[in-house]
Amino acid sequence: MYSKTRLGADQLSGGPKLSRRAKAIVFTVSGVVAAALVALGVWSAVGSDRYGPSANGCVNVTFASSTGGATLHYCGAAAKSFCRSAFASADRISLLARPQCVLAGLTKAKVLAG
């Protein structure tokens, strides 16, 4: 079926070499991919996060859920209402939300009074 053969001279040299044009194309594509990866790294390092830390009347609470991590994000009147219910309840999410409400400036005295 199969016979033992010796490799020819064209097979020993590693096959056909890339032409000058093909090398330029490979170099250009590699450079574009590398530049895109560098740009992605810079963007992820310095880009603003919509769900950053709680502050300035916005509350962000991250907690474990059955499908992984979940994030609650509220600003303004919704944040005030959320913090009001967090200070009035004692469930797991309310206990996690209380420190975030304080960081957002929505203390227990402020949300329960108004």
Side-chain angles (χ1 to χ4, degrees), residues 12-66:
L12 287 175
S13 66
K17 301 291 181 189
L18 289 176
S19 68
R20 188 174 212 153
R21 182 171 183 255
K23 286 179 185 178
I25 291 172
V26 168
F27 181 73
T28 303
V29 169
S30 298
V32 168
V33 169
L37 290 175
V38 167
L40 180 65
V42 169
W43 173 77
S44 65
V46 299
S48 63
D49 185 8
R50 190 176 130 186
Y51 295 123
S54 298
N56 303 324
C58 289
V59 179
N60 296 308
V61 180
T62 303
F63 60 96
S65 71
S66 60

Side-chain angles (χ1 to χ4, degrees), residues 6-15:
R6 293 182 51 181
L7 296 175
D10 62 331
Q11 294 171 327
L12 287 175
S13 66

